[in-house]
Each structure stands twice: as structure tokens, then as C-alpha cells.
Amino acid sequence: MKIALFKTRPVKPVLLWVILFIMPVRSAIVPNSRPADSRAQLSDNSQVRAALDWFSRNLTWINDQQARLTEIPAPPFREAERAAAVKELLDGAGLKVQSDETGNVITEIRGANDKEVVLVSAHLDTVFPPGTDVKVRRKDGHMSAPGISDNGAGLVALVALARAIRETRIKPQRSILFVADVGEEGEGNLRGMRAVVDAYKSRLRAVIVLDGSATDHVTTKALASRRLEAVITGPGGHSWSDFGMANPINALVRASVRFINTKVPATPRTTFNLGQIEGGTSVNSIPFEAKLKVDIRSESEDELARLESALRECISAGVRDEMESSRDRSKGKLEWKVEPLGSRPGGELSPDSPLLAALRAADDYVGNQSRAERSSTDANIPLSQGIDAISIGAGGNGGGAHSLKEWYEPAGREMGLKRVLLTLLGVSGVVQDKSK
């Protein structure tokens, strides 16, 4: 039996139930695939409808909790305070919550089949350093603050989703694991997701990552990337008395100018970014150290390797040029190294994945259209290991991600939350309430 709209592999009864439930009349379903009275019974599941209605009744609460969580700073490697707040919100729904050694907040709603798990996650951390003003400012429903959308929107959606399922007593076929994870941004190197996948890999059947707000796309392809740090060191000295000594910052500037002129192809799409430069102790001191952090991304592993090699060659050339132009080499020479800060693996979701079919069916039900795209998210880890995974937004509208002017508007949030819920139930399945 196949669902003609998706042209996928034979559909399991649980997935078929959800597709039948959420498909509008116009959807193409194989005639006589199930008795009419059975279809009517499945599409009238009161618990699922109650969960969908839960979002409408609690929109103000959801908005308030998003603001509350956003105002708790969560710089990379310092997510503990925000994690505690998420744990409190999940505890308040009567869920049993734990934290793992990595710092992830985890709760599970047990399914009829406890040997299989569907994971839904949202990352706790932001890109902003300690001391950033994260006060949420509201005006006419508009909220603005660093991190309000990425990932305030995804994080509060995770909490709302868990509470809606818990409070409406939905019993999934597969167990559902809710995880607020650490280390998604920057040098976190997806450490939270890595730990969860390692712990549950034998039971893990699908992963849904909630990241940001956008509902116009779904990430089905993992963009591979590498983060590197170049360090140049020297003896250092006084700007006047030691003038002419080789300067690590000079060498780094020379190297950077070379590297930014590196040609990259449009296809496969390849990018690089010089994200951070550090060095020096004072304006009148020749620095003893200079550092550069670089992000490189590509649809091709070969291009990643080429760019990393180019960076090393440019740093070496920058040091050589600075040493050759220095007036006084007697006080020491420059040394350099390039070391990896992190690496994100690539991967792709199969076009005939049941997870993708569930998302498309959910889109159809809520009247949404979404395109597939490639990006770098927590979904990289399961996709790289052959586990079905997607990354989607949680609803509403947002912009200015990773900037101090980041903003979010709740309009459309309810649709996004319903989309996530129906996608999740599409792959977890629902045990029929026999009391009805």
C-alpha cells in the first residue's frame, strides 16, 4: 500500500493513520486503502485535537516564556542557568527530567514500543558572549533581543510541545525524547547532540531539530564545515625601542589578506569567514601573540580540504613575509600553527524518508509550503550517521539572527507549532484511546 502523493516506500499502519488524519480532502489517497469508518475513527482522535488546541489556548504563556528564557544568558559553554529554567518548565508539567554529563536537559514520554525513540531537540546556547544585553524589548507584539529567535523560538516550542502532549495524555507508539541541548553554536561543535546520539543510537529512529522560527524551509541536507584557529607567536617588545622586530599581528594581517583572496567555487557552494581576531596587550607594545578564527563551509569535502590547506599556506607565507621585512631578527623569530576547533560532518536525508513524508503531510494540513535546503545544524550529527533527521523552524517570524538587532514576531506561531506536533506524531505514531 502506498500513498500516491509522496511516492514513498510502503507506509506502516501508524504513519498511514497520521497521514490520513492530517490530509485535507484534496490530498491524493489510494481509494479503498482502509474502510471508511476506520478512517473516520482515526481522524477524530480527541487527544490529538486537544493537543492542537492547547497551543491556541496558551499562546500568551508561550510568548512570555520565550522572553523569560531569552533573558537568561547562555553563551557557549555557559548554558547551565538557562538549562535549569527549561528543566523547571518541564518539571511543572509533571515530566521526569534529567541532565546528562554534557549539560543536556532530557525528558522522555514513554511509548508503547519503548525499543524505538523519536528525538525532538532545541539548542540552549547562543552566539553572544558574556555581558551581552539580552533584555527583551516588546512593542506591538514585536520582541527584540539577541537570541530571541535563535534559539528562543525553538526552545520554547520544545517546552510547549512536551507540555501539550503530556497534558492531553497522548500515548505515542514510539517513545518521544525531548532534549534541550548544549553546544550547537560556534565552538560548541555540536557536543550536546553528539552525546545524545551516542547514548540513544541503537533506539533512535528519527530526529526533529527545532532551530529558529522559519517555516518556509526544511533542512534535509547537512552542510559540512570546519572551524580553525591560526596562532602566531613571537618574542614581543616595546613599540619604540624594539621597532623593527617581527610582529605577530603584522604577520596575521599579511596572511589574512592572502587568504581572503582565495577563489572559491559557486558550485559546489563554498564559503569562508574570518570571525575573530585577537592579540596584543597595549597600543604601545609589539604583541607576543595573535590569533585568528576561521569558519569554512562547503557542499564538498574536497573543497573543505582545499580551503584548510590554503589557510595553512597563507599563514606560513604571512609569517615568512613578516620575517623577511623585519629590521631586527636577532631577538627571535615568529612561530605559527593552525589547529582545528571543530568539525561538522555532512549527510543527506533520503527523499523517500517517512520523516519527510510526515512533514509534507503536516505542511498540507496547516496550509504551509516549505522547500528543502542544506544548512549546518544539530541535524548534521544524526544525518552523518544514517539516521533520519530534519531541522525546522518553530513558527512565527524572525530576523537578524546572530546580531544585536535580532527580532521575533509571534504571528504564525500557532501554525508552526501544529506543524511540528503533526510531524512528530507522524513518525512516533499514536496509540488509540480505547476509552473513547
Side-chain angles (χ1 to χ4, degrees), residues 68-94:
R68 176 195 170 201
L69 292 174
T70 299
E71 289 182 342
I72 301 173
F77 301 98
R78 301 187 184 184
E79 304 97 334
E81 185 179 356
R82 184 176 289 185
V86 171
K87 184 176 185 297
E88 177 187 332
L89 289 172
L90 294 172
D91 279 335

mmCIF file with all atom_site columns, all heavy atoms in Angstrom, residues 68-94:
data_model
loop_
_atom_site.group_PDB
_atom_site.id
_atom_site.type_symbol
_atom_site.label_atom_id
_atom_site.label_alt_id
_atom_site.label_comp_id
_atom_site.label_asym_id
_atom_site.label_entity_id
_atom_site.label_seq_id
_atom_site.pdbx_PDB_ins_code
_atom_site.Cartn_x
_atom_site.Cartn_y
_atom_site.Cartn_z
_atom_site.occupancy
_atom_site.B_iso_or_equiv
_atom_site.pdbx_formal_charge
_atom_site.auth_seq_id
_atom_site.auth_comp_id
_atom_site.auth_asym_id
_atom_site.auth_atom_id
_atom_site.pdbx_PDB_model_num
ATOM 1   N N   . ARG A 1 68 ? 11.235 35.097 28.766 1.00 0.00 ? 68 ARG A N   1
ATOM 2   C CA  . ARG A 1 68 ? 11.928 34.746 30.011 1.00 0.00 ? 68 ARG A CA  1
ATOM 3   C C   . ARG A 1 68 ? 13.205 33.957 29.735 1.00 0.00 ? 68 ARG A C   1
ATOM 4   O O   . ARG A 1 68 ? 14.271 34.253 30.297 1.00 0.00 ? 68 ARG A O   1
ATOM 5   C CB  . ARG A 1 68 ? 10.987 33.918 30.896 1.00 0.00 ? 68 ARG A CB  1
ATOM 6   C CG  . ARG A 1 68 ? 11.644 33.416 32.174 1.00 0.00 ? 68 ARG A CG  1
ATOM 7   C CD  . ARG A 1 68 ? 10.808 32.326 32.821 1.00 0.00 ? 68 ARG A CD  1
ATOM 8   N NE  . ARG A 1 68 ? 11.547 31.680 33.896 1.00 0.00 ? 68 ARG A NE  1
ATOM 9   C CZ  . ARG A 1 68 ? 11.269 30.474 34.367 1.00 0.00 ? 68 ARG A CZ  1
ATOM 10  N NH1 . ARG A 1 68 ? 10.258 29.787 33.860 1.00 0.00 ? 68 ARG A NH1 1
ATOM 11  N NH2 . ARG A 1 68 ? 11.989 29.953 35.333 1.00 0.00 ? 68 ARG A NH2 1
ATOM 12  N N   . LEU A 1 69 ? 13.126 32.948 28.868 1.00 0.00 ? 69 LEU A N   1
ATOM 13  C CA  . LEU A 1 69 ? 14.298 32.126 28.567 1.00 0.00 ? 69 LEU A CA  1
ATOM 14  C C   . LEU A 1 69 ? 15.366 32.937 27.836 1.00 0.00 ? 69 LEU A C   1
ATOM 15  O O   . LEU A 1 69 ? 16.565 32.766 28.089 1.00 0.00 ? 69 LEU A O   1
ATOM 16  C CB  . LEU A 1 69 ? 13.887 30.917 27.725 1.00 0.00 ? 69 LEU A CB  1
ATOM 17  C CG  . LEU A 1 69 ? 13.010 29.877 28.430 1.00 0.00 ? 69 LEU A CG  1
ATOM 18  C CD1 . LEU A 1 69 ? 12.552 28.807 27.443 1.00 0.00 ? 69 LEU A CD1 1
ATOM 19  C CD2 . LEU A 1 69 ? 13.770 29.237 29.595 1.00 0.00 ? 69 LEU A CD2 1
ATOM 20  N N   . THR A 1 70 ? 14.941 33.821 26.948 1.00 0.00 ? 70 THR A N   1
ATOM 21  C CA  . THR A 1 70 ? 15.893 34.634 26.186 1.00 0.00 ? 70 THR A CA  1
ATOM 22  C C   . THR A 1 70 ? 16.691 35.555 27.095 1.00 0.00 ? 70 THR A C   1
ATOM 23  O O   . THR A 1 70 ? 17.874 35.835 26.840 1.00 0.00 ? 70 THR A O   1
ATOM 24  C CB  . THR A 1 70 ? 15.147 35.462 25.118 1.00 0.00 ? 70 THR A CB  1
ATOM 25  O OG1 . THR A 1 70 ? 14.480 34.571 24.217 1.00 0.00 ? 70 THR A OG1 1
ATOM 26  C CG2 . THR A 1 70 ? 16.104 36.341 24.336 1.00 0.00 ? 70 THR A CG2 1
ATOM 27  N N   . GLU A 1 71 ? 16.075 36.019 28.163 1.00 0.00 ? 71 GLU A N   1
ATOM 28  C CA  . GLU A 1 71 ? 16.749 36.948 29.074 1.00 0.00 ? 71 GLU A CA  1
ATOM 29  C C   . GLU A 1 71 ? 17.715 36.249 30.032 1.00 0.00 ? 71 GLU A C   1
ATOM 30  O O   . GLU A 1 71 ? 18.370 36.914 30.837 1.00 0.00 ? 71 GLU A O   1
ATOM 31  C CB  . GLU A 1 71 ? 15.707 37.750 29.853 1.00 0.00 ? 71 GLU A CB  1
ATOM 32  C CG  . GLU A 1 71 ? 14.971 38.767 28.971 1.00 0.00 ? 71 GLU A CG  1
ATOM 33  C CD  . GLU A 1 71 ? 13.970 39.603 29.750 1.00 0.00 ? 71 GLU A CD  1
ATOM 34  O OE1 . GLU A 1 71 ? 13.582 39.187 30.866 1.00 0.00 ? 71 GLU A OE1 1
ATOM 35  O OE2 . GLU A 1 71 ? 13.584 40.676 29.243 1.00 0.00 ? 71 GLU A OE2 1
ATOM 36  N N   . ILE A 1 72 ? 17.814 34.932 29.937 1.00 0.00 ? 72 ILE A N   1
ATOM 37  C CA  . ILE A 1 72 ? 18.812 34.188 30.719 1.00 0.00 ? 72 ILE A CA  1
ATOM 38  C C   . ILE A 1 72 ? 20.016 33.960 29.808 1.00 0.00 ? 72 ILE A C   1
ATOM 39  O O   . ILE A 1 72 ? 19.926 33.219 28.829 1.00 0.00 ? 72 ILE A O   1
ATOM 40  C CB  . ILE A 1 72 ? 18.256 32.837 31.202 1.00 0.00 ? 72 ILE A CB  1
ATOM 41  C CG1 . ILE A 1 72 ? 17.022 33.052 32.070 1.00 0.00 ? 72 ILE A CG1 1
ATOM 42  C CG2 . ILE A 1 72 ? 19.335 32.075 31.983 1.00 0.00 ? 72 ILE A CG2 1
ATOM 43  C CD1 . ILE A 1 72 ? 16.318 31.760 32.454 1.00 0.00 ? 72 ILE A CD1 1
ATOM 44  N N   . PRO A 1 73 ? 21.150 34.602 30.071 1.00 0.00 ? 73 PRO A N   1
ATOM 45  C CA  . PRO A 1 73 ? 22.305 34.463 29.178 1.00 0.00 ? 73 PRO A CA  1
ATOM 46  C C   . PRO A 1 73 ? 22.727 33.004 29.029 1.00 0.00 ? 73 PRO A C   1
ATOM 47  O O   . PRO A 1 73 ? 22.702 32.226 29.996 1.00 0.00 ? 73 PRO A O   1
ATOM 48  C CB  . PRO A 1 73 ? 23.396 35.280 29.879 1.00 0.00 ? 73 PRO A CB  1
ATOM 49  C CG  . PRO A 1 73 ? 22.653 36.231 30.765 1.00 0.00 ? 73 PRO A CG  1
ATOM 50  C CD  . PRO A 1 73 ? 21.435 35.486 31.222 1.00 0.00 ? 73 PRO A CD  1
ATOM 51  N N   . ALA A 1 74 ? 23.108 32.638 27.816 1.00 0.00 ? 74 ALA A N   1
ATOM 52  C CA  . ALA A 1 74 ? 23.564 31.261 27.564 1.00 0.00 ? 74 ALA A CA  1
ATOM 53  C C   . ALA A 1 74 ? 24.709 31.277 26.555 1.00 0.00 ? 74 ALA A C   1
ATOM 54  O O   . ALA A 1 74 ? 24.601 30.710 25.468 1.00 0.00 ? 74 ALA A O   1
ATOM 55  C CB  . ALA A 1 74 ? 22.404 30.401 27.074 1.00 0.00 ? 74 ALA A CB  1
ATOM 56  N N   . PRO A 1 75 ? 25.832 31.941 26.902 1.00 0.00 ? 75 PRO A N   1
ATOM 57  C CA  . PRO A 1 75 ? 26.983 31.923 25.997 1.00 0.00 ? 75 PRO A CA  1
ATOM 58  C C   . PRO A 1 75 ? 27.490 30.498 25.801 1.00 0.00 ? 75 PRO A C   1
ATOM 59  O O   . PRO A 1 75 ? 27.187 29.605 26.610 1.00 0.00 ? 75 PRO A O   1
ATOM 60  C CB  . PRO A 1 75 ? 28.030 32.772 26.738 1.00 0.00 ? 75 PRO A CB  1
ATOM 61  C CG  . PRO A 1 75 ? 27.269 33.544 27.763 1.00 0.00 ? 75 PRO A CG  1
ATOM 62  C CD  . PRO A 1 75 ? 26.121 32.665 28.143 1.00 0.00 ? 75 PRO A CD  1
ATOM 63  N N   . PRO A 1 76 ? 28.250 30.238 24.761 1.00 0.00 ? 76 PRO A N   1
ATOM 64  C CA  . PRO A 1 76 ? 28.814 28.908 24.576 1.00 0.00 ? 76 PRO A CA  1
ATOM 65  C C   . PRO A 1 76 ? 29.546 28.423 25.820 1.00 0.00 ? 76 PRO A C   1
ATOM 66  O O   . PRO A 1 76 ? 30.315 29.174 26.428 1.00 0.00 ? 76 PRO A O   1
ATOM 67  C CB  . PRO A 1 76 ? 29.782 29.107 23.396 1.00 0.00 ? 76 PRO A CB  1
ATOM 68  C CG  . PRO A 1 76 ? 29.172 30.227 22.616 1.00 0.00 ? 76 PRO A CG  1
ATOM 69  C CD  . PRO A 1 76 ? 28.595 31.155 23.651 1.00 0.00 ? 76 PRO A CD  1
ATOM 70  N N   . PHE A 1 77 ? 29.250 27.199 26.210 1.00 0.00 ? 77 PHE A N   1
ATOM 71  C CA  . PHE A 1 77 ? 29.836 26.527 27.373 1.00 0.00 ? 77 PHE A CA  1
ATOM 72  C C   . PHE A 1 77 ? 29.332 27.094 28.710 1.00 0.00 ? 77 PHE A C   1
ATOM 73  O O   . PHE A 1 77 ? 29.829 26.714 29.764 1.00 0.00 ? 77 PHE A O   1
ATOM 74  C CB  . PHE A 1 77 ? 31.370 26.585 27.337 1.00 0.00 ? 77 PHE A CB  1
ATOM 75  C CG  . PHE A 1 77 ? 31.958 25.955 26.101 1.00 0.00 ? 77 PHE A CG  1
ATOM 76  C CD1 . PHE A 1 77 ? 32.329 26.730 25.018 1.00 0.00 ? 77 PHE A CD1 1
ATOM 77  C CD2 . PHE A 1 77 ? 32.123 24.578 26.015 1.00 0.00 ? 77 PHE A CD2 1
ATOM 78  C CE1 . PHE A 1 77 ? 32.856 26.159 23.871 1.00 0.00 ? 77 PHE A CE1 1
ATOM 79  C CE2 . PHE A 1 77 ? 32.651 23.991 24.873 1.00 0.00 ? 77 PHE A CE2 1
ATOM 80  C CZ  . PHE A 1 77 ? 33.025 24.778 23.802 1.00 0.00 ? 77 PHE A CZ  1
ATOM 81  N N   . ARG A 1 78 ? 28.320 27.978 28.662 1.00 0.00 ? 78 ARG A N   1
ATOM 82  C CA  . ARG A 1 78 ? 27.757 28.534 29.900 1.00 0.00 ? 78 ARG A CA  1
ATOM 83  C C   . ARG A 1 78 ? 26.230 28.504 29.837 1.00 0.00 ? 78 ARG A C   1
ATOM 84  O O   . ARG A 1 78 ? 25.553 29.494 30.096 1.00 0.00 ? 78 ARG A O   1
ATOM 85  C CB  . ARG A 1 78 ? 28.250 29.967 30.125 1.00 0.00 ? 78 ARG A CB  1
ATOM 86  C CG  . ARG A 1 78 ? 29.763 30.091 30.230 1.00 0.00 ? 78 ARG A CG  1
ATOM 87  C CD  . ARG A 1 78 ? 30.175 31.492 30.611 1.00 0.00 ? 78 ARG A CD  1
ATOM 88  N NE  . ARG A 1 78 ? 31.623 31.662 30.633 1.00 0.00 ? 78 ARG A NE  1
ATOM 89  C CZ  . ARG A 1 78 ? 32.248 32.775 31.014 1.00 0.00 ? 78 ARG A CZ  1
ATOM 90  N NH1 . ARG A 1 78 ? 31.540 33.824 31.412 1.00 0.00 ? 78 ARG A NH1 1
ATOM 91  N NH2 . ARG A 1 78 ? 33.563 32.848 30.991 1.00 0.00 ? 78 ARG A NH2 1
ATOM 92  N N   . GLU A 1 79 ? 25.696 27.336 29.517 1.00 0.00 ? 79 GLU A N   1
ATOM 93  C CA  . GLU A 1 79 ? 24.261 27.203 29.328 1.00 0.00 ? 79 GLU A CA  1
ATOM 94  C C   . GLU A 1 79 ? 23.504 26.756 30.578 1.00 0.00 ? 79 GLU A C   1
ATOM 95  O O   . GLU A 1 79 ? 22.284 26.603 30.560 1.00 0.00 ? 79 GLU A O   1
ATOM 96  C CB  . GLU A 1 79 ? 23.962 26.189 28.210 1.00 0.00 ? 79 GLU A CB  1
ATOM 97  C CG  . GLU A 1 79 ? 24.615 26.491 26.876 1.00 0.00 ? 79 GLU A CG  1
ATOM 98  C CD  . GLU A 1 79 ? 25.912 25.719 26.649 1.00 0.00 ? 79 GLU A CD  1
ATOM 99  O OE1 . GLU A 1 79 ? 26.559 25.356 27.668 1.00 0.00 ? 79 GLU A OE1 1
ATOM 100 O OE2 . GLU A 1 79 ? 26.270 25.480 25.491 1.00 0.00 ? 79 GLU A OE2 1
ATOM 101 N N   . ALA A 1 80 ? 24.211 26.543 31.694 1.00 0.00 ? 80 ALA A N   1
ATOM 102 C CA  . ALA A 1 80 ? 23.623 25.879 32.856 1.00 0.00 ? 80 ALA A CA  1
ATOM 103 C C   . ALA A 1 80 ? 22.404 26.613 33.432 1.00 0.00 ? 80 ALA A C   1
ATOM 104 O O   . ALA A 1 80 ? 21.408 25.978 33.811 1.00 0.00 ? 80 ALA A O   1
ATOM 105 C CB  . ALA A 1 80 ? 24.677 25.698 33.951 1.00 0.00 ? 80 ALA A CB  1
ATOM 106 N N   . GLU A 1 81 ? 22.457 27.942 33.517 1.00 0.00 ? 81 GLU A N   1
ATOM 107 C CA  . GLU A 1 81 ? 21.344 28.679 34.119 1.00 0.00 ? 81 GLU A CA  1
ATOM 108 C C   . GLU A 1 81 ? 20.087 28.567 33.249 1.00 0.00 ? 81 GLU A C   1
ATOM 109 O O   . GLU A 1 81 ? 18.977 28.363 33.758 1.00 0.00 ? 81 GLU A O   1
ATOM 110 C CB  . GLU A 1 81 ? 21.722 30.149 34.307 1.00 0.00 ? 81 GLU A CB  1
ATOM 111 C CG  . GLU A 1 81 ? 20.662 30.952 35.046 1.00 0.00 ? 81 GLU A CG  1
ATOM 112 C CD  . GLU A 1 81 ? 21.046 32.411 35.247 1.00 0.00 ? 81 GLU A CD  1
ATOM 113 O OE1 . GLU A 1 81 ? 22.177 32.799 34.877 1.00 0.00 ? 81 GLU A OE1 1
ATOM 114 O OE2 . GLU A 1 81 ? 20.195 33.175 35.767 1.00 0.00 ? 81 GLU A OE2 1
ATOM 115 N N   . ARG A 1 82 ? 20.236 28.689 31.952 1.00 0.00 ? 82 ARG A N   1
ATOM 116 C CA  . ARG A 1 82 ? 19.079 28.538 31.063 1.00 0.00 ? 82 ARG A CA  1
ATOM 117 C C   . ARG A 1 82 ? 18.576 27.096 31.083 1.00 0.00 ? 82 ARG A C   1
ATOM 118 O O   . ARG A 1 82 ? 17.368 26.852 31.038 1.00 0.00 ? 82 ARG A O   1
ATOM 119 C CB  . ARG A 1 82 ? 19.439 28.965 29.641 1.00 0.00 ? 82 ARG A CB  1
ATOM 120 C CG  . ARG A 1 82 ? 18.245 28.913 28.697 1.00 0.00 ? 82 ARG A CG  1
ATOM 121 C CD  . ARG A 1 82 ? 18.582 29.423 27.313 1.00 0.00 ? 82 ARG A CD  1
ATOM 122 N NE  . ARG A 1 82 ? 18.777 30.872 27.295 1.00 0.00 ? 82 ARG A NE  1
ATOM 123 C CZ  . ARG A 1 82 ? 18.984 31.566 26.181 1.00 0.00 ? 82 ARG A CZ  1
ATOM 124 N NH1 . ARG A 1 82 ? 19.057 30.950 25.011 1.00 0.00 ? 82 ARG A NH1 1
ATOM 125 N NH2 . ARG A 1 82 ? 19.129 32.882 26.236 1.00 0.00 ? 82 ARG A NH2 1
ATOM 126 N N   . ALA A 1 83 ? 19.490 26.145 31.168 1.00 0.00 ? 83 ALA A N   1
ATOM 127 C CA  . ALA A 1 83 ? 19.099 24.737 31.251 1.00 0.00 ? 83 ALA A CA  1
ATOM 128 C C   . ALA A 1 83 ? 18.238 24.488 32.486 1.00 0.00 ? 83 ALA A C   1
ATOM 129 O O   . ALA A 1 83 ? 17.244 23.753 32.435 1.00 0.00 ? 83 ALA A O   1
ATOM 130 C CB  . ALA A 1 83 ? 20.334 23.848 31.275 1.00 0.00 ? 83 ALA A CB  1
ATOM 131 N N   . ALA A 1 84 ? 18.598 25.113 33.596 1.00 0.00 ? 84 ALA A N   1
ATOM 132 C CA  . ALA A 1 84 ? 17.828 24.957 34.836 1.00 0.00 ? 84 ALA A CA  1
ATOM 133 C C   . ALA A 1 84 ? 16.420 25.507 34.672 1.00 0.00 ? 84 ALA A C   1
ATOM 134 O O   . ALA A 1 84 ? 15.442 24.941 35.189 1.00 0.00 ? 84 ALA A O   1
ATOM 135 C CB  . ALA A 1 84 ? 18.544 25.644 35.996 1.00 0.00 ? 84 ALA A CB  1
ATOM 136 N N   . ALA A 1 85 ? 16.281 26.618 33.941 1.00 0.00 ? 85 ALA A N   1
ATOM 137 C CA  . ALA A 1 85 ? 14.957 27.211 33.721 1.00 0.00 ? 85 ALA A CA  1
ATOM 138 C C   . ALA A 1 85 ? 14.094 26.312 32.845 1.00 0.00 ? 85 ALA A C   1
ATOM 139 O O   . ALA A 1 85 ? 12.887 26.166 33.081 1.00 0.00 ? 85 ALA A O   1
ATOM 140 C CB  . ALA A 1 85 ? 15.106 28.588 33.079 1.00 0.00 ? 85 ALA A CB  1
ATOM 141 N N   . VAL A 1 86 ? 14.682 25.701 31.824 1.00 0.00 ? 86 VAL A N   1
ATOM 142 C CA  . VAL A 1 86 ? 13.934 24.760 30.975 1.00 0.00 ? 86 VAL A CA  1
ATOM 143 C C   . VAL A 1 86 ? 13.512 23.547 31.791 1.00 0.00 ? 86 VAL A C   1
ATOM 144 O O   . VAL A 1 86 ? 12.382 23.061 31.676 1.00 0.00 ? 86 VAL A O   1
ATOM 145 C CB  . VAL A 1 86 ? 14.789 24.335 29.762 1.00 0.00 ? 86 VAL A CB  1
ATOM 146 C CG1 . VAL A 1 86 ? 14.108 23.200 28.990 1.00 0.00 ? 86 VAL A CG1 1
ATOM 147 C CG2 . VAL A 1 86 ? 15.029 25.522 28.845 1.00 0.00 ? 86 VAL A CG2 1
ATOM 148 N N   . LYS A 1 87 ? 14.403 23.059 32.622 1.00 0.00 ? 87 LYS A N   1
ATOM 149 C CA  . LYS A 1 87 ? 14.082 21.911 33.481 1.00 0.00 ? 87 LYS A CA  1
ATOM 150 C C   . LYS A 1 87 ? 12.893 22.232 34.382 1.00 0.00 ? 87 LYS A C   1
ATOM 151 O O   . LYS A 1 87 ? 11.988 21.410 34.571 1.00 0.00 ? 87 LYS A O   1
ATOM 152 C CB  . LYS A 1 87 ? 15.297 21.527 34.320 1.00 0.00 ? 87 LYS A CB  1
ATOM 153 C CG  . LYS A 1 87 ? 15.105 20.284 35.181 1.00 0.00 ? 87 LYS A CG  1
ATOM 154 C CD  . LYS A 1 87 ? 16.401 19.938 35.907 1.00 0.00 ? 87 LYS A CD  1
ATOM 155 C CE  . LYS A 1 87 ? 16.260 18.635 36.681 1.00 0.00 ? 87 LYS A CE  1
ATOM 156 N NZ  . LYS A 1 87 ? 15.251 18.704 37.758 1.00 0.00 ? 87 LYS A NZ  1
ATOM 157 N N   . GLU A 1 88 ? 12.871 23.435 34.919 1.00 0.00 ? 88 GLU A N   1
ATOM 158 C CA  . GLU A 1 88 ? 11.766 23.861 35.787 1.00 0.00 ? 88 GLU A CA  1
ATOM 159 C C   . GLU A 1 88 ? 10.436 23.872 35.024 1.00 0.00 ? 88 GLU A C   1
ATOM 160 O O   . GLU A 1 88 ? 9.405  23.431 35.552 1.00 0.00 ? 88 GLU A O   1
ATOM 161 C CB  . GLU A 1 88 ? 12.068 25.253 36.331 1.00 0.00 ? 88 GLU A CB  1
ATOM 162 C CG  . GLU A 1 88 ? 10.966 25.848 37.190 1.00 0.00 ? 88 GLU A CG  1
ATOM 163 C CD  . GLU A 1 88 ? 11.239 27.289 37.570 1.00 0.00 ? 88 GLU A CD  1
ATOM 164 O OE1 . GLU A 1 88 ? 12.425 27.669 37.646 1.00 0.00 ? 88 GLU A OE1 1
ATOM 165 O OE2 . GLU A 1 88 ? 10.263 28.042 37.770 1.00 0.00 ? 88 GLU A OE2 1
ATOM 166 N N   . LEU A 1 89 ? 10.445 24.343 33.779 1.00 0.00 ? 89 LEU A N   1
ATOM 167 C CA  . LEU A 1 89 ? 9.224  24.386 32.976 1.00 0.00 ? 89 LEU A CA  1
ATOM 168 C C   . LEU A 1 89 ? 8.715  22.982 32.652 1.00 0.00 ? 89 LEU A C   1
ATOM 169 O O   . LEU A 1 89 ? 7.505  22.740 32.623 1.00 0.00 ? 89 LEU A O   1
ATOM 170 C CB  . LEU A 1 89 ? 9.474  25.164 31.684 1.00 0.00 ? 89 LEU A CB  1
ATOM 171 C CG  . LEU A 1 89 ? 9.660  26.674 31.830 1.00 0.00 ? 89 LEU A CG  1
ATOM 172 C CD1 . LEU A 1 89 ? 10.089 27.284 30.503 1.00 0.00 ? 89 LEU A CD1 1
ATOM 173 C CD2 . LEU A 1 89 ? 8.378  27.329 32.324 1.00 0.00 ? 89 LEU A CD2 1
ATOM 174 N N   . LEU A 1 90 ? 9.612  22.062 32.406 1.00 0.00 ? 90 LEU A N   1
ATOM 175 C CA  . LEU A 1 90 ? 9.210  20.683 32.120 1.00 0.00 ? 90 LEU A CA  1
ATOM 176 C C   . LEU A 1 90 ? 8.761  19.973 33.393 1.00 0.00 ? 90 LEU A C   1
ATOM 177 O O   . LEU A 1 90 ? 7.795  19.206 33.378 1.00 0.00 ? 90 LEU A O   1
ATOM 178 C CB  . LEU A 1 90 ? 10.370 19.933 31.463 1.00 0.00 ? 90 LEU A CB  1
ATOM 179 C CG  . LEU A 1 90 ? 10.766 20.430 30.071 1.00 0.00 ? 90 LEU A CG  1
ATOM 180 C CD1 . LEU A 1 90 ? 12.048 19.745 29.599 1.00 0.00 ? 90 LEU A CD1 1
ATOM 181 C CD2 . LEU A 1 90 ? 9.641  20.192 29.067 1.00 0.00 ? 90 LEU A CD2 1
ATOM 182 N N   . ASP A 1 91 ? 9.452  20.249 34.481 1.00 0.00 ? 91 ASP A N   1
ATOM 183 C CA  . ASP A 1 91 ? 9.031  19.690 35.784 1.00 0.00 ? 91 ASP A CA  1
ATOM 184 C C   . ASP A 1 91 ? 7.607  20.127 36.114 1.00 0.00 ? 91 ASP A C   1
ATOM 185 O O   . ASP A 1 91 ? 6.822  19.357 36.675 1.00 0.00 ? 91 ASP A O   1
ATOM 186 C CB  . ASP A 1 91 ? 9.970  20.175 36.902 1.00 0.00 ? 91 ASP A CB  1
ATOM 187 C CG  . ASP A 1 91 ? 11.259 19.371 36.982 1.00 0.00 ? 91 ASP A CG  1
ATOM 188 O OD1 . ASP A 1 91 ? 11.248 18.201 36.545 1.00 0.00 ? 91 ASP A OD1 1
ATOM 189 O OD2 . ASP A 1 91 ? 12.261 19.907 37.462 1.00 0.00 ? 91 ASP A OD2 1
ATOM 190 N N   . GLY A 1 92 ? 7.274  21.361 35.762 1.00 0.00 ? 92 GLY A N   1
ATOM 191 C CA  . GLY A 1 92 ? 5.960  21.897 36.079 1.00 0.00 ? 92 GLY A CA  1
ATOM 192 C C   . GLY A 1 92 ? 4.826  21.175 35.400 1.00 0.00 ? 92 GLY A C   1
ATOM 193 O O   . GLY A 1 92 ? 3.666  21.282 35.824 1.00 0.00 ? 92 GLY A O   1
ATOM 194 N N   . ALA A 1 93 ? 5.140  20.428 34.345 1.00 0.00 ? 93 ALA A N   1
ATOM 195 C CA  . ALA A 1 93 ? 4.118  19.643 33.655 1.00 0.00 ? 93 ALA A CA  1
ATOM 196 C C   . ALA A 1 93 ? 4.059  18.218 34.167 1.00 0.00 ? 93 ALA A C   1
ATOM 197 O O   . ALA A 1 93 ? 3.310  17.385 33.636 1.00 0.00 ? 93 ALA A O   1
ATOM 198 C CB  . ALA A 1 93 ? 4.397  19.629 32.155 1.00 0.00 ? 93 ALA A CB  1
ATOM 199 N N   . GLY A 1 94 ? 4.826  17.912 35.203 1.00 0.00 ? 94 GLY A N   1
ATOM 200 C CA  . GLY A 1 94 ? 4.826  16.577 35.769 1.00 0.00 ? 94 GLY A CA  1
ATOM 201 C C   . GLY A 1 94 ? 5.728  15.602 35.038 1.00 0.00 ? 94 GLY A C   1
ATOM 202 O O   . GLY A 1 94 ? 5.619  14.390 35.230 1.00 0.00 ? 94 GLY A O   1
#
